[in-house]
Amino acid sequence: MSFRIEKDSLGEMQVPADALYGSQTQRAVLNFPVSGLKPYPAFVWAQAAVKRAAAQVNRDLGLLEPKLADAIIQAADEILAGQHQDQFVVDPFQAGAGTSHNMNLNEVIANRANQILGFALDDANKPVNPNDHVNMAQSTNDTIPTAIRLGCLWRLPELVNAVTKLAEALEAKAAEFDDVVKSGRTHLQDAVPVRLGQEFSAYALAVRNDLERINVAAERMRRLGIGGTATGSGLNAHTEYHQRMVEALSALSGQPLRSSGNLFESMQNMADPADFSASMRSLCITLTRIANDFRLLSSGPATGLDEIRLPAVQPGSSIMPGKVNPVLAEMLNMASFHVQGCDVTISLSAQAGQLELNVMMPIIAHNLFEMMHVLIGSINAFTDKCVVGVTANREKAEGWLAKNAILVTALNPVIGYLNGAAVAKEAMATGKTIKEIVVEKGLLSGEEVDKLIDARTLTEGGIQGIAAAG
């Protein structure tokens, strides 16, 4: 590999000859050989958006030479379009606050701008400087929290779409399964009847409630503190810079952004990202519960509940022929556990801020983007390859219900709780039906029993055997 020499405040540094990044990025690569991971595209896109907007605003304020600003804007636009992704090479586990990530963007944009202006990467006279021009009126301390917010908002429509599709698929199954009456279960024990459609309608609403939480938390991510520079005072930034940046980033991102209202708070406080993370954690709690129910309801099939059948998408065993496992539900479990672990890291990192800055922002950024990435992929796969293909096993579901001694609960208002308990006990001991025992004991006639324990009616609430008030 051939190299060129780049200089920074610490001296000279060998950099790969064709790399768009410079000495500070190369130092970070050498200093932090931790995970082998690279920044998520959302983080790169968002930081490039900040650089583009800053060049535009500083040009319009008369602070940045238009020729240089236009080259910076063109270079940033290339990154926003997805080019040069291989140039963003700093490990997420890096120096605090995200200085290395910020300089990676500054150096790539500066060198690409110099190329646009006709200068070679190793030309000592190249005019665009990563600190003086690309980073003008900025600090790592205000650009990184801004990029965290922008990156999450950039992927928000994908996450919203994935969750919405899941809710819609569950709602469609709720309608399809509405006439399948089955045994309810509490404490994993038999309970009064429910309809399979009612179970699925509850899943759908729970997912929609979580989506509402995500959208509410995302609204707070629209508050930007760009322009606070190093500590929130705005040193080295024009007095109009902050508001102009909010407007420029709103136009560039297509997002309704607003000022944080206090630039000091924006650097100290990571509560908004932590809240957004927590909203995704809450979704994962729901997803885990739904995935677990899918696994239970499809268990067996010969020796389990077998009330629903999941699509067979791959063989389930390397040794047992014919075995098919609930692999999409298992995948969703694992993805949900991973995302909840990311949230723990964000929670710990958010509380680790000290005085004027939270220096744990790089791992907050990485985990937020990881959470969104994993959720989008796992939810889409679960919806498309599992939920839409779920079928009801009516015969098994209704067969379990017929054996459920808890049906006697519907008779309580007429025969009393103690008589009902005695009937249920005898039914479980003898294998007789509830109807047979109630009639034998002379508690009710057969016709009365049939009317009171009509399974579909029992799923609709009310007091059996007592007419509603007119």
Side-chain angles (χ1 to χ4, degrees):
M1 179 182 292
S2 58
F3 296 90
R4 70 178 191 271
I5 300 298
E6 292 266 359
K7 294 181 180 179
D8 60 22
S9 60
L10 292 183
E12 293 185 344
M13 190 73 193
Q14 280 191 331
V15 176
D18 59 351
L20 289 176
Y21 55 79
S23 57
Q24 291 201 46
T25 301
Q26 183 64 19
R27 291 186 193 279
V29 170
L30 297 175
N31 287 336
F32 310 115
V34 180
S35 67
L37 299 172
K38 301 297 187 286
Y40 268 102
F43 202 18
V44 173
W45 181 92
Q47 195 77 353
V50 172
K51 302 302 173 182
R52 189 203 187 283
Q56 174 187 323
V57 169
N58 285 319
R59 178 197 63 192
D60 294 348
L61 288 169
L63 301 174
L64 183 58
E65 183 182 341
K67 181 180 178 181
L68 302 186
D70 291 345
I72 291 170
I73 288 170
Q74 183 177 335
D77 280 339
E78 291 177 356
I79 297 169
L80 294 175
Q83 298 181 47
H84 314 304
Q85 286 297 309
D86 61 337
Q87 299 299 306
F88 303 105
V89 293
V90 180
D91 199 290
F93 298 90
Q94 59 180 266
T99 301
S100 300
H101 180 71
N102 185 34
M103 287 308 303
N104 193 175
L105 267 292
N106 287 335
E107 290 177 342
V108 170
I109 291 173
N111 277 320
R112 179 62 191 131
N114 284 321
Q115 288 182 329
I116 291 168
L117 293 172
F119 291 82
L121 292 174
D122 59 355
D123 192 329
N125 297 314
K126 55 189 180 184
V128 181
N129 182 276
N131 293 87
D132 295 335
H133 303 124
V134 183
N135 200 59
M136 179 181 284
Q138 302 156 63
S139 165
T140 293
N141 303 352
D142 67 340
T143 61
I144 294 295
T146 299
I148 288 172
R149 293 166 182 268
L150 290 176
C152 289
L153 292 172
W154 186 54
R155 295 216 72 182
L156 180 65
E158 292 179 83
L159 179 59
V160 168
N161 183 61
V163 179
T164 301
K165 277 177 52 183
L166 174 58
E168 289 173 348
L170 291 167
E171 288 163 350
K173 291 299 171 180
E176 180 183 339
F177 301 155
D178 187 60
D179 64 340
V180 180
V181 184
K182 50 162 283 180
S183 182
R185 297 178 182 89
T186 59
H187 304 265
L188 293 180
Q189 305 297 304
D190 296 335
V192 296
V194 298
R195 300 196 301 277
L196 186 58
Q198 290 172 320
E199 282 186 320
F200 273 73
S201 70
Y203 299 150
L205 182 57
V207 168
R208 287 203 180 274
N209 288 341
D210 289 324
L211 179 57
E212 179 182 345
R213 276 183 275 271
I214 288 171
N215 282 324
V216 169
E219 281 303 306
R220 287 186 279 272
M221 295 289 277
R222 302 184 189 281
R223 307 182 319 113
L224 302 187
I226 188 67
T229 65
T231 63
S233 65
L235 181 66
N236 288 347
H238 192 284
T239 54
E240 296 179 21
Y241 175 80
H242 167 64
Q243 189 54 46
R244 289 193 182 210
M245 281 294 287
V246 173
E247 293 169 0
L249 287 169
S250 294
L252 181 60
S253 66
Q255 297 279 355
L257 308 173
R258 61 185 185 275
S259 170
S260 69
N262 186 308
L263 305 189
F264 297 94
E265 183 271 346
S266 300
M267 269 164 246
Q268 297 174 5
N269 189 10
M270 289 289 107
D272 287 348
D275 185 42
F276 185 64
S277 172
S279 72
M280 290 188 281
R281 179 201 65 214
S282 294
L283 171 62
C284 285
I285 292 171
T286 297
L287 295 178
T288 297
R289 185 175 56 79
I290 292 171
N292 287 343
D293 277 9
F294 271 47
R295 292 166 64 194
L296 281 171
L297 292 172
S298 65
S299 61
T303 60
L305 298 182
D306 190 31
E307 293 184 347
I308 63 173
R309 295 283 176 91
L310 307 183
V313 296
Q314 65 184 57
S317 173
S318 61
I319 189 173
M320 293 173 281
K323 192 173 190 294
V324 178
N325 296 332
V327 294
L328 272 303
E330 293 166 345
M331 174 279 297
L332 188 62
N333 277 142
M334 288 184 275
S336 296
F337 300 156
H338 179 72
V339 170
Q340 290 179 77
C342 290
D343 175 70
V344 172
T345 297
I346 290 172
S347 176
L348 294 172
S349 300
Q351 63 186 281
Q354 297 165 318
L355 303 177
E356 274 62 64
L357 182 66
N358 186 305
V359 300
M360 305 300 168
M361 291 187 290
I363 202 60
I364 291 174
H366 176 74
N367 279 28
L368 279 171
F369 300 136
E370 174 115 344
M371 293 168 80
M372 297 185 80
H373 189 71
V374 170
L375 275 175
I376 291 164
S378 61
I379 292 171
N380 280 334
F382 182 68
T383 302
D384 296 339
K385 298 179 184 297
C386 183
V387 177
V388 298
V390 171
T391 57
N393 186 349
R394 182 188 300 271
E395 181 180 2
K396 186 63 70 72
E398 294 177 350
W400 289 129
L401 178 61
K403 299 176 181 179
N404 186 353
I406 303 300
L407 290 174
V408 76
T409 303
L411 306 181
N412 285 353
V414 179
I415 68 174
Y417 181 90
L418 290 179
N419 280 332
V423 169
K425 183 177 180 180
E426 185 173 340
M428 286 185 283
T430 65
K432 293 181 178 179
T433 67
I434 297 297
K435 177 179 178 180
E436 289 173 333
I437 298 171
V438 169
V439 173
E440 287 176 2
K441 289 182 175 292
L443 298 172
L444 292 170
S445 68
E447 292 76 12
E448 290 171 322
V449 173
D450 288 339
K451 182 178 180 180
L452 289 171
I453 60 173
D454 173 69
R456 169 77 191 210
T457 302
L458 299 184
T459 67
E460 297 172 349
I463 303 173
Q464 306 305 305
I466 301 177

